[in-house]
Amino acid sequence: MLAVSSSSQDSAVPLAYQELEQFVQVLLKDALMQSGEPAWEHARGVAQICQMLGLDENARSAALLFNVWWVLDKEQHEKIQTLEEKVPQTVKELVRQILQLLNMGGISKDISSAPLNSTNKNAAKLAAEQLDILRRMLLAMAPDIRVVLIRLASRLQTLRWYAASKTQPPAGFAQESLMVYAPLANRLGVWQLKWEMEDLAFRFKEPQVYQTLARALEEKRIERENFIARSIHKLANALAASHIKADVAGRPKHIYSIHHKMQKKDLPLEGLYDLRALRVLVNDLKDCYTALGIVHQLWTPIAREFDDYIARPKANGYQSLHTVVTTEDQRPLEVQIRTHAMHQHAEFGVAAHWRYKETASASGLAPSPAAGSEQDKKIAWLRQLLAWKKEVTEAITDEYWQIQADDRIYVLTPQGRVIELVKDATPIDFAYHLHSELGHKCRGAKVDGVMVPLSTPLRTGQTVEIIADKKLTSGPSRDWLNPELAFLQSPRARAKVRAWFNATEQQQDIQTGRTIVERELQRLGKTAVNLQELAAKLGFEKPEELFLFASKAEFHPRSIETAFEHKTPEDPDALVRARVDHLSDTKKHTKASVLVVGVDVLTQLARCCKPAPPDLIGGYITRGKGVSIHRLECNSFKSLLKKDPDRVIECTWGDAQDAIYAVEVRVLAVDRPGLLRDISEVFAKERINVTAVTTQSSKGQARMGFAVQIKVASQLERALLSIGEIKGVLEARRR
């Protein structure tokens, strides 16, 4: 692997780019890539693509160099070492990151061959999710955006070589290019790479379909070109007459784009609107809309085919006006209108921000500082670019190129499945993400084949293997819940560990209670009594519920004697607890409005605890207001039960379909910009209506209250779980 040490930098003068190019050409003279492509031809092609994108000299040097370490063997170590001494440190770091991405080749190939069009919806959904995670993983593994661009250029150069040499690529190569690399280029807005990569990959993946479309387009090429030439002449004259300086040209059509649109819209080739298309480039934003008006004066617009991507840019920053019009001979014509700066962005995406510099007022792009300012160098718009499906966040440092994902990592199972975890997640977090039982039985872990402590923070790109204890009685350690030991970083994993201990302790309490009950029955001489009948007499459905109640410190063994004497126990608190437990065990819950068992009376939800399905509930008969419905855990309800137990009745949920319930949520978090927005997005995702919000901030902590409306409690449970995983959130609970 390439060394990144700078020990030799002081003793050697770095080569100029032209000298480096000659040096690499000699080194790679007879070397071949794994595909059979000459290594020097590949290196030069990648560097030329990077130059076309406008990347700096360091990036082009890295594009030349990475093949040296990737292709040459150890026998040529001396040559490589000599080269290292002549390469700047920044270039060597770029090469190291490129090699790290190249090592993922086999993984992305396996994932990209997954059955996206499978009739099994779950399999197709899983495959799509894996692809999405992989694309984000590629970005997360490249803290320098130039690394991703060089990797895309390398893939395009390989596709070009397969096409030029008429060599069939290996199985899955074209699919990988279509499903991983082309969408990644699109996400970065580098359409120059995206379109060519898609067409070449499609040519290899479905050669017959490709050839059929190519022939169909060629048959009417001359007619289409004549039509476009007449349209260009007419529009250019009209723009000039209005004193608008513009470049008008035909827009090239890409075969894969045509095929994709035909499938998506289920249309024949001639049914597509944009086979005949013009592109108009103007100097400023005002001229865009003026040119649009002229186009609509010349030809009849089709209203449903108009898109304003200037006012509403695409996620990758793309801006343009799109309209479709009907010409004099009733043929559709698509026209795209944009400024020169917008066109640079459309072609080169992220690369355009150092290729084409101008101020916001002149470009018509989203507001940005003047060229050359520090803010411009930070490329602030990349914050939105890398918020891929709102799951990848970024922190852009003072360095011009640096981008990093600060709250997610992406690791691999031994089978190559990509797993998304919170930053600094440990092997135990990984195990619980795969399966709760695997987490409980986790006793060791290997990371990239090496045994590591279970508290080791994982990093993106690592392969993790869990070593589990096969004993049925094995479980987690209480040390895992100690935050100072840092065994767990995921709130979900911590919840699973707590749930395991709660369940274990409950079983222990049941056993303790059984011993107490059996001892009391022995004292009473009732050892032959049926435990099921005894539990029923005391208000419990099952003996285990009686045992659990008997294990509590407040339980008095004499309470059992009352079951045989048919009188109320002396301890009124014991009766209250027994009644509450009995009500808790009513299992006939359905999903909507409240139903009082056996009585048709007015009911109302108590404001103190705001119950909602499937909360365990009880009713209290009020004076003149019907039955007030409370959650069984409500302190007010317990007080009413203790004060006037005869007015308490059992309740279940009825079956109204459209009932909505008001509940309150409390959130405690570290205060930061965007916190309220992130929480609101969770509620929106779960389709929970927020009716009121209160916030208080003190000493860096935010206390937030949300009044929300839900249909079932599971909605709220999912929302609370998601809110708990938001960066900075310390606690999220229902009031």
Side-chain angles (χ1 to χ4, degrees):
M1 178 58 72
L2 172 66
V4 189
S5 172
S6 58
S7 58
S8 62
Q9 291 298 302
D10 297 333
S11 60
V13 179
L15 293 173
Y17 180 79
Q18 290 75 12
E19 296 174 315
L20 183 65
E21 193 173 32
Q22 295 172 3
F23 199 93
V24 172
Q25 183 176 6
V26 174
L27 280 178
L28 298 178
K29 181 179 179 181
D30 300 318
L32 295 176
M33 305 286 289
Q34 189 176 2
S35 62
E37 179 185 6
W40 165 242
E41 185 178 326
H42 184 86
R44 181 178 58 184
V46 175
Q48 288 173 347
I49 294 173
C50 291
Q51 185 175 16
M52 177 269 294
L53 291 175
L55 295 184
D56 63 354
E57 190 171 293
N58 283 340
R60 287 185 283 128
S61 297
L64 280 175
L65 283 169
F66 74 86
N67 273 317
V68 175
W69 282 272
W70 186 251
V71 175
L72 296 187
D73 53 31
K74 293 181 180 179
E75 295 177 2
Q76 296 168 302
H77 178 73
E78 291 184 5
K79 295 180 180 179
I80 295 176
Q81 188 173 10
T82 302
L83 182 58
E84 275 196 56
E85 295 173 356
K86 297 178 179 294
V87 175
Q89 183 69 26
T90 52
V91 175
K92 286 197 290 185
E93 176 59 23
L94 282 172
V95 173
R96 185 191 67 78
Q97 294 177 25
I98 294 167
L99 294 176
Q100 186 180 20
L101 278 186
L102 285 170
N103 286 324
M104 292 181 57
I107 298 166
S108 60
K109 181 178 177 180
D110 292 341
I111 294 176
S112 61
S113 60
L116 283 179
N117 296 322
S118 169
T119 54
N120 185 327
K121 291 185 178 180
N122 290 332
K125 181 181 179 182
L126 177 62
E129 289 173 352
Q130 284 286 287
L131 275 174
D132 190 48
I133 291 173
L134 175 62
R135 295 177 194 127
R136 285 180 276 138
M137 182 177 177
L138 282 168
L139 287 173
M141 286 188 69
D144 190 321
I145 197 66
R146 291 172 295 180
V147 174
V148 180
L149 294 172
I150 293 170
R151 182 69 188 98
L152 292 173
S154 176
R155 173 51 61 106
L156 176 57
Q157 172 59 28
T158 303
L159 284 166
R160 285 177 175 179
W161 180 81
Y162 279 129
S165 63
K166 298 182 179 179
T167 303
Q168 185 65 27
F173 188 87
Q175 174 81 347
E176 180 187 35
S177 301
L178 278 175
M179 303 310 298
V180 177
Y181 291 98
L184 187 57
N186 179 60
R187 188 63 192 178
L188 294 174
V190 192
W191 286 16
Q192 278 284 85
L193 302 188
K194 172 187 181 291
W195 296 129
E196 187 175 358
M197 200 178 297
E198 284 181 339
D199 276 4
L200 289 172
F202 179 50
R203 173 178 173 179
F204 291 117
K205 184 174 181 289
E206 299 186 53
Q208 293 182 347
V209 178
Y210 179 91
Q211 292 297 335
T212 300
L213 274 176
R215 282 194 296 268
L217 289 170
E218 182 63 24
E219 287 174 359
K220 297 190 177 182
R221 179 178 59 83
I222 295 176
E223 177 190 343
R224 192 165 54 250
E225 288 178 353
N226 289 335
F227 172 81
I228 291 296
R230 292 195 303 272
S231 301
I232 289 174
H233 181 73
K234 183 173 183 177
L235 179 56
N237 288 341
L239 291 171
S242 298
H243 307 289
I244 295 177
K245 293 182 179 180
D247 295 331
V248 184
R251 185 168 68 87
K253 290 306 300 178
H254 300 275
I255 293 180
Y256 180 76
S257 172
I258 293 171
H259 169 71
H260 180 71
K261 194 165 290 187
M262 287 171 62
Q263 286 195 322
K264 182 179 179 181
K265 296 190 174 183
D266 193 23
L267 291 172
L269 182 63
E270 288 303 320
L272 298 181
Y273 284 142
D274 55 355
L275 284 179
R276 304 170 187 86
L278 300 183
R279 178 174 292 147
V280 181
L281 302 182
V282 296
N283 290 331
D284 55 41
L285 181 61
K286 175 177 65 68
D287 287 346
C288 287
Y289 290 97
T290 304
L292 176 66
I294 292 172
V295 170
H296 287 174
Q297 287 176 3
L298 291 176
W299 300 296
T300 304
I302 301 175
R304 66 179 182 278
E305 296 295 330
F306 173 71
D307 292 297
D308 186 347
Y309 294 120
I310 293 178
R312 296 181 298 276
K314 291 186 177 181
N316 59 13
Y318 174 85
Q319 291 183 292
S320 185
L321 296 175
H322 290 196
T323 186
V324 178
V325 296
T326 303
T327 60
E328 300 86 347
D329 53 2
Q330 300 305 308
R331 288 195 245 184
L333 172 68
E334 185 195 54
V335 183
Q336 294 183 355
I337 306 170
R338 62 181 73 139
T339 66
H340 291 280
M342 293 175 190
H343 182 62
Q344 289 293 321
H345 183 277
E347 295 296 301
F348 302 105
V350 57
H353 281 257
W354 60 86
R355 178 185 176 95
Y356 193 97
K357 300 288 186 182
E358 66 177 3
T359 62
S361 60
S363 68
L365 289 170
S368 62
S373 71
E374 282 303 309
Q375 281 299 107
D376 186 43
K377 288 183 178 181
K378 292 179 183 178
I379 316 177
W381 71 273
L382 281 173
R383 293 185 182 276
Q384 183 179 10
L385 170 68
L386 292 185
W388 203 332
K389 290 193 174 180
K390 297 182 171 60
E391 293 181 8
V392 177
T393 60
E394 67 293 325
I396 301 177
T397 70
D398 290 336
E399 293 297 325
Y400 183 63
W401 303 97
Q402 286 292 325
I403 304 167
Q404 62 184 19
D406 65 358
D407 68 343
R408 288 290 186 271
I409 61 170
Y410 305 90
V411 296
L412 307 166
T413 67
Q415 295 75 33
R417 180 184 171 197
V418 183
I419 302 298
E420 181 179 8
L421 300 170
V422 297
K423 183 184 178 184
D424 294 330
T426 66
I428 305 177
D429 291 307
F430 174 84
Y432 275 109
H433 184 95
L434 294 180
H435 198 281
S436 297
E437 284 302 314
L438 182 61
H440 295 335
K441 298 178 183 298
C442 177
R443 292 297 177 268
K446 290 182 180 180
V447 175
D448 292 335
V450 179
M451 290 292 297
V452 298
L454 290 177
S455 58
T456 302
L458 300 175
R459 298 192 307 274
T460 291
Q462 292 179 323
T463 299
V464 185
E465 180 182 356
I466 299 299
I467 299 171
D469 188 344
K470 296 182 179 179
K471 295 180 182 178
L472 294 175
T473 57
S474 61
S477 166
R478 286 195 180 274
D479 287 342
W480 295 358
L481 293 173
N482 187 338
E484 295 181 359
L485 299 179
F487 279 108
L488 294 170
Q489 297 296 327
S490 165
R492 183 171 299 180
R494 280 195 291 269
K496 290 182 177 181
V497 174
R498 291 193 191 99
W500 187 90
F501 281 112
N502 289 340
T504 302
E505 290 169 359
Q506 186 179 63
Q507 290 301 316
Q508 293 173 349
D509 289 343
I510 288 174
Q511 187 59 42
T512 300
R514 177 186 287 273
T515 302
I516 293 172
V517 170
E518 290 177 346
R519 186 186 302 126
E520 180 64 13
L521 290 174
Q522 188 174 15
R523 186 187 70 79
L524 295 171
K526 305 286 186 179
T527 54
V529 71
N530 184 303
L531 292 176
Q532 180 65 48
E533 294 178 359
L534 176 63
K537 287 183 178 180
L538 292 173
F540 301 97
E541 284 193 0
K542 298 184 294 185
E544 287 77 12
E545 294 162 4
L546 170 60
F547 300 151
L548 191 61
F549 180 62
S551 68
K552 308 301 180 184
E554 300 87 353
F555 174 76
H556 197 290
R558 294 272 181 172
S559 300
I560 296 177
E561 188 174 351
T562 62
F564 302 102
E565 297 177 354
H566 302 289
K567 65 181 183 180
T568 303
E570 297 175 1
D571 181 4
D573 289 338
L575 174 61
V576 170
R577 288 188 293 273
R579 290 285 302 275
V580 169
D581 286 342
H582 176 59
L583 292 173
S584 299
D585 295 324
T586 302
K587 305 299 181 182
K588 300 176 183 178
H589 296 298
T590 53
K591 284 189 177 179
S593 64
V594 175
L595 173 69
V596 179
V597 176
V599 182
D600 184 14
V601 296
L602 174 67
T603 62
Q604 59 182 353
L605 300 179
R607 294 183 179 180
C608 54
C609 58
K610 297 187 176 179
D615 291 339
L616 301 179
I617 53 173
Y620 180 80
I621 302 173
T622 65
R623 290 179 172 85
K625 294 184 179 180
V627 178
S628 177
I629 307 302
H630 295 257
R631 288 153 62 184
L632 292 186
E633 62 188 25
C634 174
N635 290 329
S636 297
F637 179 68
K638 291 179 180 179
S639 298
L640 292 171
L641 179 59
K642 184 175 180 179
K643 179 181 178 181
D644 200 353
D646 291 335
R647 302 178 75 89
V648 174
I649 59 174
E650 297 180 11
C651 296
T652 64
W653 294 102
D655 57 359
Q657 298 299 315
D658 300 318
I660 295 177
Y661 302 90
V663 298
E664 293 184 11
V665 172
R666 293 288 182 263
V667 176
L668 176 65
V670 178
D671 201 6
R672 62 172 175 84
L675 177 63
L676 180 59
R677 177 201 63 205
D678 293 344
I679 296 173
S680 299
E681 287 177 350
V682 171
F683 286 129
K685 181 180 178 182
E686 295 296 336
R687 300 182 182 276
I688 295 176
N689 184 37
V690 179
T691 58
V693 179
T694 59
T695 62
Q696 290 182 336
S697 182
S698 176
K699 297 181 180 179
Q701 282 196 341
R703 298 180 182 274
M704 312 175 81
F706 298 84
V708 301
Q709 295 177 331
I710 62 173
K711 291 187 176 181
V712 290
S714 58
Q715 272 184 294
L716 191 61
E717 291 171 3
R718 291 193 301 269
L720 291 177
L721 189 61
S722 298
I723 292 171
E725 294 182 351
I726 291 175
K727 179 181 177 182
V729 172
L730 305 175
E731 182 185 40
R733 62 180 177 83
R734 178 179 171 185
R735 180 184 172 187

